[in-house]
Amino acid sequence: MVKEKPDLSFWQIWNMCFGFLGIQFGFALQNANVSRIFQTLGAEMDTIPLLWIAGPVTGLIVQPIVGHFSDKTWTRLGRRRPYFLYGALATSLALVVMPNASVLWMAAGMLWIMDAAINVSMEPFRAFVGDNLPKRQQAKGYAMQSFFIGIGAVVASMLPWILAQFGVSNQAPEGTIPDTVRYAFYAGAVVLFAAVAWTVFRSREYSPEQLAEFEAAEPANERHHSERREAAAYRRSALAWLSPGLLASFAIWLWDWHPQLYILSVALVVFGLLQLWVAQNRARGGVDNGMATVMDDLFSMPTAMKQLAVVQFFSWFALFAMWIYTTAAVTGVHFGSSDPSSAAYNEGANWVGVLFAAYNGFSALAAVVIPVMVRHFGLRRAHLLNLLLGAAGLASFLVVSDPTLLLVAMVGVGFAWASILSLPYAMLAGCLPAAKMGVYMGIFNFFIVIPQLLAASVLGLILRLGFDNQPIYALAIGAVSLVIAGVATLRVSQNGAALSQSPSVS
């Protein structure tokens, strides 16, 4: 008898996705305020991208590892939920400490800790939807996650501005974080932990044995299995990554190029060394460990996943440019101040929080509209349309002078954000094996992390050399990147169940 996952009710999907509200609450506080915190503590404009690499690097390391181990975990709390709970606890503690940083290095260090903890909770949430929902409901599940992401981020992004309206001090002595930001982070710690705990204790998970039965019921041509790569292949690949990495690092040192370029060159070297380590272990006949398994899975990704990697790369390059530079762009261009201690700068920084809240609010509405778009246009064309709307929103920052009108630009950004958080995962989930759902979702995060590392490496340099260090042009670069991502979406394979789904909003 064929055994398939049963459909879940609206409230069951609601409960399993509700924790994302809390995760995004913390993530949105970080996105809207970290550049402000860095500038307040004395960071120079062209060093801010370097300080932001905490998120990409921790995601690159933590997500595939957490995914691999959560695939193999089974406890009284289940498979994914222990990671939700302990990651949320660590993130909440980091949110309390972060706004009390008194020096720049302390704030940067807390960002690393906070991002690592957020990633421990966030990665298994993606796999959670793939584990629990049948393919016909997966797009609905990811859309529900996008809805909660939008709702959580609306309040979180606006919180400093809201607190200022109630009389909380929005200015502080030079080098001190304003009370509006500190109290917002404290509230975020409470909301994050409470929301994640709701999902942990109000959801259930299928056992590994049940998931194996569900996967066995799928048609054989819809299953994907990774291949074990030989040591010689890893050696050749290691050389291909190590050589340019070492040469680039030497050139940066020899000609005293911008030190942010080391992010790229060192990343190439590290990836080459990891492959060389796997090759040596495999050649000696050593037992495959988690790193070797992740590497094998990386090099044998399903075709649709490889094609979606390009889409994700350009999408997240644009998002990272927006998160890093919107505060500096709006305060400098629309509010006329680059001095973090001035009233105009802090008013502009708070307005950026409102703008970020707006795009997240529009993304919550878009999460309801997007399934309708998918029914009419299909997953690929719906995603293309949403990315083009986002590109138009970012580009409009260059031509709109009234900061109030920037709220209109956030409509397009909100649709792009909701789509980026849902449709690529809906396209992907149907081609992944249940036993490796976590690790492949973690590997998929590489193509979110790599463009962020690239942005951290080159965006500051591009602005300094080509645009007189004007941060507004980072948003223009982001707009172009979203257009490229949209066009790349049309190349994603339409084979597989996930791409043929027509999710409903009911």
Side-chain angles (χ1 to χ4, degrees), residues 406-443:
L406 293 176
L407 288 168
V408 178
M410 294 295 100
V411 176
V413 175
F415 269 78
W417 178 232
S419 196
I420 290 167
L421 292 174
S422 57
L423 296 191
Y425 295 96
M427 296 182 215
L428 177 66
C431 67
L432 299 182
K436 288 185 174 288
M437 186 70 70
V439 69
Y440 268 122
M441 286 294 180
I443 289 172

Side-chain angles (χ1 to χ4, degrees), residues 110-196:
M110 287 311 306
L111 181 60
W112 283 84
I113 294 170
M114 189 188 310
D115 266 302
I118 285 177
N119 276 295
V120 169
S121 283
M122 185 182 294
E123 194 286 329
F125 258 105
R126 296 296 188 191
F128 198 45
V129 170
D131 288 344
N132 286 2
L133 293 178
K135 288 186 175 67
R136 58 186 168 271
Q137 284 193 308
Q138 284 173 354
K140 184 191 292 185
Y142 289 117
M144 181 74 80
Q145 284 189 348
S146 293
F147 173 78
F148 282 122
I149 286 169
I151 294 298
V154 167
V155 180
S157 298
M158 288 186 68
L159 205 47
W161 180 85
I162 292 171
L163 291 171
Q165 307 314 302
F166 282 93
V168 178
S169 176
N170 190 45
Q171 286 185 265
E174 186 175 351
T176 303
I177 311 302
D179 286 347
T180 50
V181 176
R182 288 196 301 114
Y183 295 159
F185 273 64
Y186 299 160
V190 175
V191 172
L192 187 148
F193 188 77
V196 172

Side-chain angles (χ1 to χ4, degrees), residues 239-506:
L239 183 62
W241 289 88
L242 276 170
S243 300
L246 291 171
L247 288 172
S249 296
F250 179 72
I252 296 166
W253 172 80
L254 182 64
W255 288 297
D256 197 26
W257 289 346
H258 201 285
Q260 289 181 9
L261 294 175
Y262 277 118
I263 299 173
L264 279 183
S265 65
V266 171
L268 295 176
V269 171
V270 169
F271 187 55
L273 289 174
L274 287 174
Q275 293 180 78
L276 192 60
W277 179 69
V278 173
Q280 293 299 104
N281 182 68
R282 190 153 288 176
R284 292 195 302 266
V287 177
D288 282 351
N289 52 28
M291 179 59 68
T293 303
V294 169
M295 282 290 188
D296 284 342
D297 293 335
L298 173 64
F299 283 101
S300 57
M301 293 186 297
T303 299
M305 186 172 174
K306 294 176 183 177
Q307 295 164 337
L308 282 165
V310 179
V311 178
Q312 292 293 82
F313 178 93
F314 287 102
S315 299
W316 285 86
F317 187 92
L319 290 171
F320 205 60
M322 179 183 73
W323 291 332
I324 294 174
Y325 285 106
T326 300
T327 296
V330 171
T331 54
V333 173
H334 299 88
F335 285 81
S337 177
S338 299
D339 178 8
S341 64
S342 69
Y345 176 92
N346 282 287
E347 183 183 356
N350 277 1
W351 186 244
V352 171
V354 174
L355 293 176
F356 279 21
Y359 88 70
N360 281 290
F362 291 128
S363 77
L365 297 175
V368 177
V369 176
I370 284 174
V372 179
M373 296 174 67
V374 170
R375 281 207 305 273
H376 285 86
F377 305 117
L379 280 167
R380 298 186 312 158
R381 290 187 176 87
H383 195 48
L384 166 64
L385 177 58
N386 290 322
L387 293 179
L388 293 179
L389 288 172
L394 289 183
S396 67
F397 275 73
L398 279 75
V399 296
V400 172
S401 57
D402 183 350
T404 305
L405 293 179
L406 293 176
L407 288 168
V408 178
M410 294 295 100
V411 176
V413 175
F415 269 78
W417 178 232
S419 196
I420 290 167
L421 292 174
S422 57
L423 296 191
Y425 295 96
M427 296 182 215
L428 177 66
C431 67
L432 299 182
K436 288 185 174 288
M437 186 70 70
V439 69
Y440 268 122
M441 286 294 180
I443 289 172
F444 197 48
N445 186 62
F446 287 176
F447 309 107
I448 296 173
V449 168
I450 292 169
Q452 294 180 52
L453 289 174
L454 181 64
S457 300
V458 303
L459 265 178
L461 186 62
I462 290 171
L463 293 181
R464 185 162 62 87
L465 297 179
F467 299 98
D468 195 27
N469 217 22
Q470 297 299 308
I472 192 74
Y473 291 104
L475 304 184
I477 294 170
V480 173
S481 188
L482 283 177
V483 172
I484 296 172
V487 173
T489 303
L490 298 178
R491 295 186 62 253
V492 178
S493 171
Q494 295 190 79
N495 297 326
L499 289 175
S500 63
Q501 299 304 305
S502 298
S504 68
V505 297
S506 60

Side-chain angles (χ1 to χ4, degrees), residues 194-211:
V196 172
W198 179 276
T199 287
V200 169
F201 296 110
R202 300 282 293 183
S203 298
R204 69 182 183 100
E205 295 185 70
Y206 293 114
S207 69
E209 293 75 21
Q210 288 174 303
L211 288 172

